[in-house]
C-alpha cells in the first residue's frame, strides 16, 4: 500500500490525472486508458519490470488496482502493450504541462537548460525499428543495437524534454535539432544552455550565436594547449576547496571568454589513469617487439594491426610511445624500436586535472560560470537514475512506436522520482527516493470481508499502522494515511462484480 499510495500522491501533485483526463477521450475500452497510464508509470516507479511481470506478479500484490478501479483480471500484458500505443500520442502536451507544474511547485524559472546524450541498447534484433543502429555504447554493449536519447533538464535535475535519435547518431549532430524543438514548443526565452565537449563544435557554437543563445560549454582537450602558459600563472580564484578557476579573455573575440579550471582531485585521478594505461600499453608493445625479434611475427601489416589494437584500448597513453619497424631487404620485419615521447609525458603531467570552458557570458564571474557547467551532473544523474532505478535499459520492445513509448514512460517516471527527491530534500530527508519507497512499502493494506445474513457481504480495505520510524518519515513529509476503513466493494467476487469503482480518498494531497 505505502509505496503506491505515495506514487499516486506524486501523480496527483503533478496533476497528471487531470491532464490525461483532458487529453485522452474515452472510447469503447473496458478500462479507461488514463487509469492504465497511471498504473504503468507507478509500476515503473515502485517495481521496474516488464509488462508481463507487472501483469502477472506485481499488480495483484498492490492496492493500486483498487485505488484506480481496475479489476485485476483486466490487467494483462496485452492491455499494457496497448497502453504504450496510446500514451505516446501525448508526449508533447505532457512535456509542456510538466514545465508549468515545475514552475508552480518549485519555482523553476528555466534560466538555463542542461543537455546531454546517452544510449540504451536492445535485447533482440529490433528489425522493425529503423532507429536501432550500432554506435558508441555508453553501456559497454557494442554487440547490441541501440538508440540515443538527448535529454534536457533544469538546474534542479527536473526532466524538461527529450528526443530519441538513431543509435549511430553522433552527439554533436543532435544539438541543432533539440534547440529548435524546444524553441518551437516553448518559445525563444532567454536561457543559458550548458553541454559537454562531446556536443560542442564550431558549427554548434555558430548556431547558438546566430540564434542569440547564451552558452557555457566544455571544450576538446586539444584546445587546452592554446592556454598552456596560463597554467603556470598565479591569478587563480578558489571556487571550492581544491578547485580553482580563472577567466581568460581572447583579443581576437571580445564576445567570448574561456574559463580555465583545475581540480586537485581530478588531477590525481587522471595521473593514476594515465600511469595505469602507460604500464599496460608498454607491456603489450614489448610483447609485440619480442615476437618480431624472435621471428614469430614478420608481417608488417599484422604487427601494425596488433599495435593499433592495443593503442585503441589504452587511449590515455597511445601518444606516449613511438614505434618504428625495421625491415630487411626482402621487406620482412626483423626488429621493432619503441621510444618514449618525453615531451608528451610532460604535457600530460602539466595538464592533468585541468579543463577549459567556453562561454559568451562575458560579464559573469568565473565562479558562477563553473557552477553553471557543473550542473551538468544533474543530466548525468538523470540518466543514471533512468537506467539503474527505473529500468530504461535494456529495451525488449521491437516495434519503434513502443520503444518510443517505453522511453516516454521512463521520462514520466523520472519526473515523479525527481519530485519525490526534491520533496524529501526540502523536508531534510536527503536525496534517496528508493530508500523512501522501500520504507513506505512496509505499510500494508488488508481486505476485511464481513458476511451478513441474507445479504451480500461487505468488503472493506484497512491500512496497517506504520512502525515508529515510518511514522516519523510520514510526519516530516506531511503525508497522512487514511485513518478510517475504506469502502471497497459491497459484494464478494462470486456475486459477479466486474468493475469496482476507484477508492476515493480526500487525503491524496500534500
Amino acid at each position: 500500500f505505502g509505496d503506491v499510495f505515495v506514487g499516486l500522491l506524486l501523480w496527483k501533485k503533478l496533476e497528471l490525472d487531470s491532464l490525461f483526463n483532458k487529453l485522452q477521450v474515452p472510447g469503447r475500452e473496458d478500462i479507461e486508458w488514463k487509469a492504465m497510464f497511471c498504473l504503468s508509470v507507478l509500476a515503473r516507479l515502485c517495481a521496474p519490470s516488464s509488462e508481463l511481470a507487472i501483469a502477472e506478479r506485481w499488480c495483484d500484490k498492490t492496492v493500486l488496482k483498487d485505488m484506480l478501479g481496475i479489476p485485476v483480471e483486466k490487467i494483462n500484458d496485452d492491455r499494457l502493450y496497448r497502453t504504450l500505443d496510446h500514451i505516446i500520442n501525448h508526449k508533447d502536451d505532457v512535456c509542456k504541462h510538466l514545465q508549468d507544474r515545475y514552475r508552480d511547485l518549485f519555482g523553476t524559472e528555466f534560466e538555463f537548460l542542461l543537455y546531454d546524450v546517452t544510449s540504451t541498447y536492445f535485447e533482440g534484433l529490433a528489425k522493425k525499428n529503423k532507429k536501432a543502429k550500432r554506435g558508441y555504447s555508453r553501456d559497454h554493449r557494442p554487440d547490441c543495437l541501440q538508440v540515443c536519447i538527448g535529454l534536457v533538464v533544469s538546474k534542479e535535475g527536473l526532466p524538461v524534454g527529450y528526443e530519441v535519435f538513431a543509435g549511430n547518431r553522433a552527439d554533436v549532430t543532435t544539438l541543432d535539432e533539440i534547440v529548435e524543438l524546444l524553441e518551437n514548443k516553448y518559445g525563444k526565452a532567454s536561457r543559458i544552455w550548458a553541454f559537454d565537449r562531446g556536443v560542442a563544435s564550431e558549427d554548434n557554437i555558430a548556431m547558438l550565436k546566430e540564434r542569440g543563445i547564451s552558452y557555457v560549454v566544455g571544450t576538446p582537450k586539444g584546445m587546452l594547449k592554446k592556454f598552456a602558459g596560463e597554467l603556470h600563472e598565479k591569478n587563480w580564484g578558489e571556487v571550492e576547496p581544491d578547485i580553482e578557476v580563472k577567466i581568460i579573455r581572447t583579443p581576437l573575440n571580445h564576445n567570448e571568454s574561456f574559463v580555465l579550471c583545475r581540480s586537485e582531485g581530478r588531477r590525481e585521478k587522471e595521473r593514476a589513469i594515465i600511469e595505469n594505461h602507460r604500464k599496460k600499453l608498454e607491456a603489450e608493445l614489448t610483447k609485440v617487439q619480442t615476437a618480431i625479434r624472435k621471428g614469430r611475427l614478420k608481417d608488417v601489416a599484422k604487427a601494425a594491426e596488433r599495435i593499433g589494437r592495443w593503442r585503441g584500448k589504452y587511449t590515455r597513453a597511445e601518444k606516449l610511445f613511438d614505434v618504428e619497424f625495421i625491415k630487411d631487404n626482402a621487406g620482412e620485419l626483423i626488429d621493432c624500436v619503441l621510444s618514449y615521447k618525453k615531451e608528451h609525458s610532460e604535457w600530460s603531467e602539466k595538464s592533468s586535472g585541468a579543463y577549459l570552458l567556453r562561454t559568451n557570458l562575458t560579464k559573469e564571474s568565473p565562479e558562477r560560470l563553473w557552477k553553471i557547467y557543473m550542473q551538468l551532473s544533474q543530466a548525468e544523474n538523470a540518466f543514471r537514475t533512468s537506467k539503474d532505478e527505473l529500468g530504461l535499459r535494456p529495451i525488449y520492445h521491437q516495434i519503434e512506436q513502443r520503444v518510443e513509448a517505453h522511453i516516454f514512460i521512463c521520462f514520466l517516471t523520472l519526473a515523479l522520482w525527481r519530485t519525490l527527491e526534491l520533496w524529501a530534500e526540502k523536508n531534510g530527508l536527503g536525496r534517496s527516493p528508493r530508500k523512501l519507497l522501500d520504507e513506505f512499502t512496509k505499510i500494508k493494506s488488508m481486505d476485511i470481508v464481513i458476511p451478513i445474513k441474507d445479504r451480500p457481504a461487505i468488503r472493506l480495505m484497512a491500512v496497517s499502522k506504520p512502525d515508529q520510524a515510518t511514522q516519523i518519515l510520514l510526519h516530516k513529509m506531511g503525508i497522512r494515511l487514511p485513518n478510517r476503513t475504506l469502502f471497497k466493494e459491497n459484494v464478494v467476487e462470486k456475486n459477479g462484480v466486474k468493475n469496482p469503482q476507484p477508492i476515493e480518498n480526500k487525503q491524496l494531497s500534500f
Side-chain angles (χ1 to χ4, degrees), residues 137-160:
S137 174
R138 284 85 170 171
D139 303 311
H140 307 293
R141 290 298 305 270
D143 57 311
C144 297
L145 298 175
Q146 65 176 25
V147 290
C148 294
I149 304 170
L151 177 67
V152 181
V153 302
S154 70
K155 65 179 181 180
E156 298 89 355
L158 294 162
V160 175

Side-chain angles (χ1 to χ4, degrees), residues 382-415:
F383 285 138
R384 271 195 298 272
T385 297
S386 299
K387 291 182 177 184
D388 299 338
E389 299 285 355
L390 308 180
L392 175 63
R393 66 177 176 191
I395 298 176
Y396 293 94
H397 300 285
Q398 302 298 301
I399 301 173
E400 183 176 351
Q401 179 172 309
R402 289 185 175 174
V403 171
E404 300 267 355
H406 166 76
I407 295 171
F408 181 47
I409 290 281
C410 291
F411 174 83
L412 266 177
T413 311
L414 179 62

